[in-house]
Amino acid sequence: QVQLVESGGDLVQAGGSLRLSCVASGNILSVISMGWYRQAPGKQRELVANIDWYGNANYVESAKGRFTISRDNAEPILYLQMNSLKPEDTAVYYCAASQSLSTAPNDYWGQGTQVTVSS
C-alpha cells in the first residue's frame, strides 16, 4: 500500500506561481509512475502532467511552458512547479501514482489540494 499526501495549494493572483508537493510513503518500491490531476467544479478530472521513473514527462497542452513536473526518486517526492498561473488553472489538484509505467497513473491517490487563481 502507498499513501500520498499533497501540499502547497493556495490562493494566488493571476501570473503568480505555486509549487505543489506530494510525499509518498508505505511501499515506496511500488511507485513507478506519478502524476498530477486536477478537477474544477462541474468539470471532469484531467491529467495535468505525468512522469516516469526515468524522468520522462508529459503535459496537458494548456500547461506546456508554464508547469514543470519533477520527482525525487529517493524519497520519493513529486513536485509540480506552476508559473504564470491563470484563473482557468483553478481546481483541486490530486497526486497519483502507479505500480507500472503508466502515462495515466491511477493505483494510488492523494486527498487533493486546492489551487485558486484570482484574476
Side-chain angles (χ1 to χ4, degrees):
Q1 190 63 244
V2 173
Q3 295 79 46
L4 304 174
V5 179
E6 307 101 325
S7 63
D10 205 349
L11 171 64
V12 64
Q13 292 184 341
S17 298
L18 287 173
R19 188 177 75 163
L20 306 183
S21 300
C22 174
V23 178
S25 62
N27 189 9
I28 304 302
L29 295 180
S30 295
V31 179
I32 304 301
S33 301
M34 301 186 76
W36 290 96
Y37 292 78
R38 66 185 178 188
Q39 186 168 25
K43 301 292 183 66
Q44 294 187 7
R45 186 174 300 185
E46 70 169 342
L47 179 63
V48 178
N50 63 66
I51 188 168
D52 65 18
W53 185 262
Y54 306 99
N56 300 307
N58 297 284
Y59 302 89
V60 67
E61 193 67 29
S62 62
K64 291 180 179 179
R66 300 188 299 123
F67 293 5
T68 302
I69 187 171
S70 61
R71 64 185 291 174
D72 181 340
N73 290 340
E75 295 292 337
I77 302 177
L78 181 70
Y79 300 100
L80 184 67
Q81 178 66 47
M82 304 185 293
N83 299 322
S84 301
L85 284 164
K86 304 175 180 179
E88 64 191 55
D89 295 317
T90 295
V92 177
Y93 284 70
Y94 298 90
C95 175
S98 176
Q99 297 177 345
S100 63
L101 288 173
S102 175
T103 57
N106 62 358
D107 293 327
Y108 309 103
W109 294 88
Q111 294 300 310
T113 184
Q114 177 70 49
V115 172
T116 302
V117 184
S118 62
S119 60

